[in-house]
Amino acid sequence: MTHHTDHRPESRDEGERREPRATSLTVYLNDHLVGATAGVRLMERLERQAEDEQVAEELAQLAEEIDEDRATLLRLMRELDVPVRRFMIVAGRLGETLGRFKPNGRLLGNTEVRAVLELEMMVLGVQGKAALWRAVAELPEAREGRWPERLRELLERADRQAETLEKLRGAAVRKALAPG
């Protein structure tokens, strides 16, 4: 059972409870949290499987940044009083794990084509994360304090991440799909 702690500002009357954010925002942010959780796991796995040391270092840096972005999303959810749906995170982890067992020439093994597909999933995930930060920038709460500058930084980082992932994807395509 997930417990959501009611964080009340000191100025509120003790009997007044803070209502959770609208369901649509809860679903939206939790869906992105699921994707971020799966993305961190996938990046860490890609890093462990990388044969080239430089590629492994780039993947490790990306995994660290994506984990930091996930932590930023959790912080934002707390500030917006959006409850974390832990069951969705568990379902996302399960889905990421089950995704590894699809037939791809070898049922359980890693293939070069799998690396291409997984890097493509990460490119799409990072593009989705950038869309998340742009959507958050539309919220009234995100137009004040440190959030406008922080969201600009997060968008710039997402762009850099997408460029790096696209470069790695291109190299994986040449290795896996090029003739010879």
Side-chain angles (χ1 to χ4, degrees):
M1 173 184 256
T2 302
H3 298 282
H4 177 69
T5 305
D6 183 21
H7 299 284
R8 288 180 238 162
E10 291 180 20
S11 63
R12 290 184 177 265
D13 293 334
E14 193 56 36
E16 183 182 349
R17 294 191 55 84
R18 191 170 178 182
E19 292 298 319
R21 289 297 296 238
T23 302
S24 57
L25 183 62
T26 299
V27 170
Y28 182 72
L29 294 180
N30 274 279
D31 283 350
H32 275 281
L33 182 59
V34 168
T37 301
V40 169
R41 289 178 56 133
L42 179 54
M43 288 304 301
E44 290 170 345
R45 188 162 42 82
L46 284 167
E47 174 198 350
R48 286 190 307 273
Q49 295 171 350
E51 296 173 5
D52 180 274
E53 188 176 320
Q54 182 180 351
V55 169
E57 288 175 16
E58 288 181 276
L59 291 168
Q61 177 64 37
L62 285 168
E64 184 177 317
E65 289 179 3
I66 291 168
D67 194 37
E68 289 170 5
D69 294 344
R70 182 184 178 280
T72 299
L73 177 56
L74 282 166
R75 210 170 17 262
L76 174 70
M77 290 171 74
R78 274 192 306 275
E79 288 184 23
L80 295 175
D81 197 32
V82 172
V84 172
R85 303 291 190 220
R86 302 250 181 246
F87 71 91
M88 289 179 65
I89 294 172
V90 171
R93 285 181 179 156
L94 179 62
E96 188 274 333
T97 300
L98 290 174
R100 292 186 240 165
F101 296 107
K102 67 183 184 319
N104 63 352
R106 288 189 273 166
L107 186 59
L108 299 176
N110 185 35
T111 67
E112 292 171 346
V113 171
R114 171 172 288 233
V116 171
L117 292 170
E118 290 175 339
L119 286 165
E120 288 174 354
M121 283 190 287
M122 287 307 305
V123 169
L124 293 171
V126 168
Q127 290 170 344
K129 176 175 57 178
L132 160 72
W133 300 137
R134 285 191 294 276
V136 167
E138 297 296 322
L139 299 175
E141 301 93 315
R143 294 184 184 146
E144 52 193 49
R146 71 182 190 287
W147 280 109
E149 179 61 29
R150 182 67 180 130
L151 289 168
R152 275 191 293 281
E153 292 167 0
L154 290 164
L155 278 166
E156 288 171 9
R157 178 152 79 173
D159 288 342
R160 286 191 310 273
Q161 291 169 349
E163 287 175 19
T164 300
L165 285 163
E166 184 56 36
K167 178 188 76 158
L168 294 171
R169 189 200 66 79
V173 164
R174 288 186 294 280
K175 183 177 179 182
L177 306 177

